[in-house]
Amino acid sequence: GEQVEQRPPHLSVREGDSAVIICTYTDPNSYYFFWYKQEPGAGLQLLMKVFSSTEINEGQGFTVLLNKKDKQLSLNLTAAHPGDSAVYFCAVSLTSGGNYKPTFGKGTSLVVHP
Amino acid sequence: GPKVLQIPSHQIIDMGQMVTLNCDPVSNHLYFYWYKQILGQQMEFLVNFYNGKVMEKSKLFKDQFSVERPDGSYFTLKIQPTALEDSAVYFCASSLAGRDTEVFFGKGTRLTVV
């Protein structure tokens, strides 16, 4: 089945620096891609959903890139601030007879220091 | 936006007892999921459910686990009997399905088995 590798597991940056998190997936039929943010003790907040037809996706303060050739999805926080400190998860989903089942990466714990 | 509600947010239960975790999915959604997260780490897929039936379950979905959604009410995860290793945060999710699908997650139920 689908496997998703996420790196790095931990990331520490200073305020204003960029932060990049990368996920690599295995199934070439992957079609939907998601980035979630989880603050301590909270649920999952969807940052962005990406479809396989779109390679560059701009959000507020971040960019998501999809490289289908290398089966890689990245989240780039352009100028991190302390409020970005959280655990970030990527998730990848197939469409297989309607059996949607997002597979998650292991998460990246991001700490942004003032 | 659409919300998935999970009740209760915390539950403490004696080992060997039965527990039912309740999920109120987004009202017009057709697919339902349970995920397990231990110690704020990886989100592990447990099961998905559609049209009254389990579509797919993982190795983590032990024989002691069951799911149902009677008469369009709560989507429930029942564990009977509970074991210490069942302590985790359980996230419910739902999706409408179709090509433009997004999976919406609840805030989780923290289950502690003592």
Side-chain angles (χ1 to χ4, degrees):
Chain A
E2 174 81 271
Q3 292 185 48
V4 179
E5 297 287 332
Q6 183 171 343
R7 64 177 195 274
H10 303 282
L11 185 56
S12 179
V13 301
R14 293 217 169 271
E15 186 172 6
D17 287 350
S18 64
V20 180
I21 303 170
I22 296 174
C23 283
T24 306
Y25 57 95
T26 55
D27 195 321
N29 294 316
S30 299
Y31 195 84
Y32 303 103
F33 307 87
F34 308 88
W35 281 105
Y36 290 93
K37 177 182 180 183
Q38 186 180 33
E39 292 172 343
L44 295 172
Q45 174 194 349
L46 179 69
L47 287 179
M48 182 170 279
K49 64 182 177 184
V50 175
F51 303 126
S52 68
S53 56
T54 312
E55 293 185 345
I56 301 174
N57 303 267
E58 301 279 354
Q60 197 164 7
F62 61 90
T63 302
V64 171
L65 300 178
L66 175 62
N67 180 337
K68 288 188 288 183
K69 174 175 165 291
D70 295 333
K71 295 199 280 295
Q72 207 168 72
L73 178 75
S74 67
L75 172 67
N76 187 335
L77 297 166
T78 44
H81 56 86
D84 293 328
S85 297
V87 180
Y88 291 80
F89 292 94
C90 64
V92 179
S93 182
L94 302 168
T95 56
S96 173
N99 188 2
Y100 309 104
K101 182 194 75 176
T103 300
F104 283 79
K106 290 191 175 182
T108 296
S109 176
L110 172 66
V111 175
V112 182
H113 300 281
Chain B
K3 289 194 190 310
V4 174
L5 301 175
Q6 289 190 241
I7 304 156
S9 56
H10 292 85
Q11 179 125 23
I12 300 175
I13 194 134
D14 290 326
M15 184 176 63
Q17 298 295 307
M18 182 195 78
V19 68
T20 300
L21 307 184
N22 295 299
C23 172
D24 188 8
V26 178
S27 61
N28 60 339
H29 282 187
L30 301 175
Y31 290 82
F32 313 105
Y33 314 77
W34 284 103
Y35 282 77
K36 179 179 180 181
Q37 186 183 40
I38 296 178
L39 295 176
Q41 297 304 311
Q42 184 161 12
M43 296 280 286
E44 302 273 11
F45 169 78
L46 284 177
V47 65
N48 60 359
F49 189 86
Y50 168 73
N51 197 26
K53 292 194 274 286
V54 169
M55 300 277 288
E56 185 177 350
K57 55 187 179 182
S58 73
K59 288 182 293 191
L60 295 177
F61 193 80
K62 304 181 296 184
D63 290 343
Q64 297 89 325
F65 288 25
S66 62
V67 291
E68 63 176 355
R69 191 180 188 223
D71 302 322
S73 61
Y74 287 151
F75 176 52
T76 62
L77 173 66
K78 186 187 293 185
I79 309 174
Q80 181 178 26
T82 50
L84 294 176
E85 61 265 27
D86 297 330
S87 295
V89 180
Y90 290 84
F91 287 92
C92 172
S94 70
S95 67
L96 179 59
R99 284 188 69 78
D100 187 10
T101 194
E102 176 185 336
V103 181
F104 291 83
F105 283 83
K107 292 189 175 182
T109 293
R110 182 176 297 278
L111 175 66
T112 302
V113 182
V114 298

